[in-house]
Amino acid sequence: MKTYFRAVLASSIMLSAWHTPATSMETQFENRPLQIIEQMQESNLKRKLLSCAKQSTTPSLFSIGHRGASLGYPEHTKVSYEAAAKMGAGIVECDVTFTKDKELVCRHSQNDLHTTTNIVATKLGEKCTTTFSPADGSSKASAECRTSDLTLVEYKSLRGKMEGANKAAKTPEEYLDGMPKWRKNLGNPIGSELMSHAESIELFKSLGVKFTPELKSPKVSMPYDGFTQEAYAQKMLDEYKAAGVAPSDVWPQSFDLRDIQYWLKAEPEFAKQAVFLDGRYRSGLNPQRPTSFSPSMADLKGMGVNYIAPPMWMLVTLEDGKIKPSAYAIEAKKAGLNLITWTLERSGPLKNGGGWYYRSIKSAVNSDGAMYELLDVLAKDVGISGIFSDWPATVTYYANCMGLK
C-alpha cells in the first residue's frame, strides 16, 4: 500500500506547491491537494487523504470560494469565479459594495480599486479619491480609488489584477506590480473582467453554484446621496429576488449585526441563512473566555441568528500539542448556531507558524500539511458547515474524500 501511495505522489508532485510553475489551471488544481498532503506527518488522516488520490471532483457546499479562487486569479473577476466552480466550490462569494450611481458591484472593499484593478494606469485614475502619488525617497507610492468614485459603466471598463501594490513605484504602471511573491498567478494579472452583483448572480446560476454575498461596510458616509444603509442591505437581496433565486440558495453575510437584524425583520426567509461574520476579536472577545462574548451565543440565537462565522483561529486551541475545539466553538454549538469559518489558503507557506489565521495554534504549525490537520478538526470536532478558501480545490478534495456534501 505504501508503495502505491509513493507512486501516486511521485507521478503527481515534482516540487512543492510554491515552486511548481503552473502549466494550466487543470494541472494545478488537481495537484495542489497532493502537494499539501505530501507535507503532512504520517498519520491515519494522511493515509485516508492519499487513498482518495484518484477521486474525481464533485461540487460540495462545504467548499466556499473566497472571492472566487483568489490564490491564483484576480479576485471577484469572472475568471476567478469560473475557476472556483471548476474546483468544486458549491458556494461562491461576491463581496458587495456600490458605485457612484448606487449600483451594486463585486469588490472586497469599496476602496480597493487601486490594489485590485488597473485603474491608476487609466484615465479613470484621475477620478480617484486620492490620485496616484509616486515614491519619492521620503514617502511610499500611494493611491486610494473607490467604487463610489465611478459610475457602473466606468467601473466595468476596468480590468482586475492580482491584489497588491508596489509601494516603491515611480509610475502608475509600476504600482500595479505588487502581488506577493508567494502567490501563484494562473490567470492574466491584468485583463480579467469585473462584475456587477447582478452579473455575478447570473454567472453563478449558469455555473450551478450557490451564493454568499457579503454586504461590505461603506467607506463613504451613509446615507450616501439619499442611499441609506437599510436601502443598501435591501437592494442586495432584491437583486436575488429579481433573478428568481430561492432564499435557500443564498447565505447573505455581514460583519455588522445591525444588517443581520434588518434582514431578520424585513426579509425573514433570506435571513434564515444570514451569516454574522464575527469580528469581535477586535473589541475584546477572547475565544477561550465565554464571559467576553457579548452578545452571548445564546443571545445571538435568541435574536434569530442561525449562522456565525469567525476566523479559523477562534474555533481552535491547543491542548497537549493537539488541536482541539475552543470554548467559542463549544458555546456556539451548544447554542445551536451553525459555524462557517475563514480563510484557508490565504496565509502563504505555513512553515513558520502560519501567521494570523493560525495564531491560536502557532506552535503546532510548521508546514503546509497543517492545513489538512486543522481542516479535519474543524470538520469533525468543531462541526463547521463550510469553510472559505482562496483555492477551493484544497477543501473540495477533503470534502469529497470524507463524503461531505
Side-chain angles (χ1 to χ4, degrees):
M1 186 66 74
K2 288 183 178 179
T3 301
Y4 166 73
F5 289 151
R6 289 193 185 103
V8 170
L9 286 171
S11 64
S12 301
I13 307 166
M14 301 304 293
L15 295 169
S16 74
W18 305 107
H19 300 287
T20 304
T23 56
S24 69
M25 182 180 77
E26 289 77 10
T27 299
Q28 185 67 7
F29 86 69
E30 288 172 358
N31 290 349
R32 173 83 178 135
L34 290 175
Q35 293 165 345
I36 296 169
I37 296 166
E38 182 189 42
Q39 298 180 56
M40 295 175 65
Q41 298 294 320
E42 290 300 321
S43 65
N44 289 336
L45 175 61
K46 182 175 183 177
R47 287 186 283 275
K48 170 62 176 174
L49 292 172
L50 282 171
S51 74
C52 298
K54 293 188 176 182
Q55 69 183 357
S56 57
T57 299
T58 302
S60 170
L61 296 180
F62 186 78
S63 180
I64 306 172
H66 183 239
R67 314 183 199 181
S70 54
L71 176 64
Y73 296 89
E75 63 186 54
H76 292 308
T77 59
K78 187 172 186 284
V79 67
S80 185
Y81 292 149
E82 290 171 337
K86 193 162 188 179
M87 293 181 198
I91 305 172
V92 178
E93 178 187 48
C94 165
D95 288 326
V96 178
T97 187
F98 57 87
T99 59
K100 186 175 182 178
D101 46 353
K102 299 185 282 294
E103 296 296 332
L104 303 186
V105 296
C106 298
R107 272 305 89 198
H108 177 65
S109 175
Q110 192 170 47
N111 68 336
D112 73 3
L113 294 181
H114 52 290
T115 58
T116 62
T117 76
N118 63 336
I119 188 170
V120 298
T122 74
K123 288 188 176 182
L124 290 174
E126 298 172 4
K127 295 192 173 188
C128 290
T129 296
T130 304
T131 57
F132 171 74
S133 177
D136 62 8
S138 61
S139 59
K140 296 178 180 179
S142 63
E144 184 189 358
C145 305
R146 299 176 177 178
T147 58
S148 53
D149 293 331
L150 308 176
T151 65
L152 177 61
V153 170
E154 290 169 333
Y155 167 84
K156 284 286 294 175
S157 73
L158 299 176
R159 290 295 175 262
K161 73 175 191 68
M162 294 298 287
E163 182 184 19
N166 176 8
K167 298 300 182 64
K170 301 292 186 182
T171 68
E173 289 74 20
E174 290 177 353
Y175 189 74
L176 301 180
D177 185 19
M179 183 180 70
K181 290 183 173 60
W182 56 265
R183 281 186 177 272
K184 306 300 286 184
N185 185 14
L186 307 186
N188 186 352
I190 297 176
S192 302
E193 180 182 348
L194 305 190
M195 306 206 77
S196 70
H197 177 236
E199 287 172 334
S200 79
I201 293 172
E202 293 305 317
L203 176 64
F204 293 2
K205 286 168 65 176
S206 73
L207 294 172
V209 301
K210 298 184 187 297
F211 314 81
T212 186
E214 181 188 337
L215 194 75
K216 303 301 295 189
S217 297
K219 298 301 179 181
V220 295
S221 297
M222 301 292 277
Y224 172 76
D225 190 25
F227 195 41
T228 66
Q229 183 68 25
E230 289 189 348
Y232 174 34
Q234 184 63 51
K235 183 167 184 172
M236 188 179 86
L237 297 188
D238 283 347
E239 293 197 345
Y240 289 95
K241 292 193 288 185
V245 176
S248 59
D249 288 341
V250 184
W251 285 261
Q253 315 166 64
S254 179
F255 275 100
D256 192 331
L257 187 56
R258 291 170 296 183
D259 293 331
I260 308 295
Q261 292 170 321
Y262 170 78
W263 290 326
L264 285 165
K265 178 182 177 181
E267 294 288 350
E269 289 302 308
F270 280 95
K272 288 178 181 178
Q273 294 184 160
V275 182
F276 173 42
L277 296 165
D278 197 350
R280 292 178 293 168
Y281 54 85
R282 303 185 189 99
S283 56
L285 184 148
N286 182 333
Q288 289 297 94
R289 187 161 51 86
T291 56
S292 71
F293 305 170
S294 180
S296 69
M297 299 299 183
D299 288 342
L300 287 171
K301 184 65 176 179
M303 293 176 192
V305 175
N306 290 319
Y307 285 82
I308 188 168
M312 297 186 300
W313 64 267
M314 287 175 62
L315 293 174
V316 290
T317 188
L318 287 179
E319 294 180 10
D320 299 323
K322 302 292 185 182
I323 305 173
K324 300 288 185 180
S326 67
Y328 179 104
I330 293 167
E331 290 297 311
K333 297 302 285 188
K334 188 187 299 183
L337 292 168
N338 297 295
L339 288 165
I340 294 172
T341 192
W342 40 279
T343 304
L344 208 69
E345 294 274 38
R346 192 154 186 84
S347 302
L350 304 186
K351 61 183 178 181
N352 295 316
W356 189 84
Y357 287 97
Y358 297 81
R359 57 187 286 184
S360 63
I361 58 169
K362 182 177 180 179
S363 63
V365 177
N366 55 25
S367 77
D368 285 4
M371 270 188 265
Y372 277 134
E373 292 159 5
L374 172 59
L375 184 56
D376 194 54
V377 173
L378 290 170
K380 295 179 179 177
D381 300 332
V382 173
I384 61 172
S385 301
I387 184 168
F388 287 87
S389 174
D390 279 13
W391 200 242
T394 301
V395 175
T396 304
Y397 182 100
Y398 176 90
N400 291 172
C401 190
M402 300 299 176
L404 301 177
K405 303 300 183 183

